[in-house]
C-alpha cells in the first residue's frame, strides 16, 4: 500500500529514522517531515521502545515499539494491519537498527474527524511474533494430546 519514512533528532541529538512499509509496497511514498506544510509529522513523543521479560528464567527478550504520527491526510487504510506481518517497521538510531518488527494486527483506532489526526502504532518484534504464533499452536496441540492420552487410558471423555 505505501512506504512511510522520516527522520528526527531526539533530546540527545541522536538521529532517529523510522521506516514503515505496508504490504511490501514501496511505490506510494510518504515522507514524515519537519516542515509545517508536510502532511505527515511526528508527534511530541514520536517513538518509544520497551524491552520485557516474562519471568526470571525466560531467555527471550521481547521488544515493543510505539510510534506516534500526526497527519492531515487519512492514513487508516495504509496503517491498518489485517495480518500479523502485513506492515513492517524499522527504527534506526544513528544508522544502527534498534527495532525491527511489525504493527500489531487489528489494533487500529479510528481518529476523530479533525484537520489533523493522531495515529498511534503499537509494534512488536519478530521474536514476539514467532513466540505468539508457535506457543499458541504448541499449547493447543499439547492439550489435545493430553486429552487423547487420558481417553486412551480409560478416564472417560473430556
Amino acid at each position: 500500500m505505501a512506504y512511510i519514512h522520516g527522520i528526527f533528532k531526539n533530546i540527545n541529538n541522536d538521529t532517529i529514522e523510522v521506516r514503515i512499509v505496508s504490504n511490501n509496497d514501496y511505490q506510494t511514498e510518504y515522507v514524515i517531515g519537519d516542515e509545517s506544510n508536510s502532511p505527515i509529522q511526528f508527534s511530541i513523543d514520536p517513538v518509544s521502545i520497551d524491552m520485557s521479560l516474562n519471568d526470571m528464567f525466560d531467555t527471550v527478550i521481547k521488544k515493543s515499539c510505539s510510534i506516534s504520527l500526526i497527519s492531515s491526510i487519512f492514513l487508516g487504510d495504509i496503517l491498518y494491519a489485517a495480518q500479523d506481518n502485513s506492515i513492517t517497521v524499522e527504527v534506526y538510531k544513528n544508522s544502527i537498527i534498534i527495532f525491527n518488527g511489525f504493527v500489531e494486527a487489528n489494533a487500529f483506532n479510528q481518529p476523530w474527524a479533525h484537520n489533523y489526526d493522531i495515529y498511534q502504532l503499537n509494534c512488536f518484534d519478530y521474536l514476539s511474533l514467532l513466540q505468539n504464533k508457535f506457543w499458541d499452536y504448541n499449547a493447543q496441540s499439547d492439550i489435545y494430546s493430553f486429552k487423547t492420552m487420558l481417553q486412551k487410558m480409560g478416564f472417560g471423555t473430556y
Side-chain angles (χ1 to χ4, degrees):
M1 295 277 253
Y3 172 54
I4 303 171
H5 61 96
I7 297 174
F8 69 93
K9 297 266 189 186
N10 67 5
I11 195 167
N12 297 329
N13 207 24
D14 295 321
T15 302
I16 308 295
E17 182 180 1
V18 175
R19 298 178 188 172
I20 303 167
V21 181
S22 178
N23 292 327
N24 215 10
D25 180 19
Y26 290 87
Q27 291 180 357
T28 307
E29 181 179 6
Y30 296 100
V31 178
I32 306 168
D34 296 339
E35 304 163 6
S36 60
N37 62 355
S38 179
I40 305 171
Q41 299 176 6
F42 288 109
S43 71
I44 294 172
D45 187 19
V47 175
S48 66
I49 298 174
D50 297 319
M51 292 185 288
S52 65
L53 287 171
N54 289 339
D55 59 21
M56 195 162 69
F57 301 106
D58 196 1
T59 58
V60 177
I61 299 174
K62 295 188 278 185
K63 284 187 176 181
S64 62
C65 178
S66 178
I67 300 172
S68 184
L69 302 173
I70 299 174
S71 176
S72 62
I73 58 176
F74 181 70
L75 298 173
D77 56 341
I78 298 169
L79 298 177
Y80 176 75
Q83 297 176 351
D84 288 335
N85 59 355
S86 60
I87 300 176
T88 59
V89 174
E90 295 175 346
V91 179
Y92 294 85
K93 179 178 176 182
N94 297 327
S95 301
I96 298 171
I97 193 160
I98 58 173
F99 181 83
N100 195 356
F102 302 101
V103 172
E104 184 178 355
N106 302 320
F108 181 81
N109 291 328
Q110 177 71 33
W112 294 96
H114 291 286
N115 291 340
Y116 290 97
D117 293 325
I118 298 173
Y119 295 92
Q120 187 75 28
L121 301 178
N122 299 322
C123 311
F124 56 91
D125 63 349
Y126 284 93
L127 290 175
S128 298
L129 175 67
L130 290 173
Q131 186 178 21
N132 291 340
K133 281 190 175 248
F134 291 112
W135 186 84
D136 289 341
Y137 172 75
N138 289 334
Q140 290 175 1
S141 64
D142 289 345
I143 291 170
Y144 291 130
S145 63
F146 180 71
K147 286 180 182 180
T148 306
M149 184 181 71
L150 286 177
Q151 288 174 353
K152 289 182 179 182
M153 291 172 56
F155 288 97
T157 59
Y158 295 94

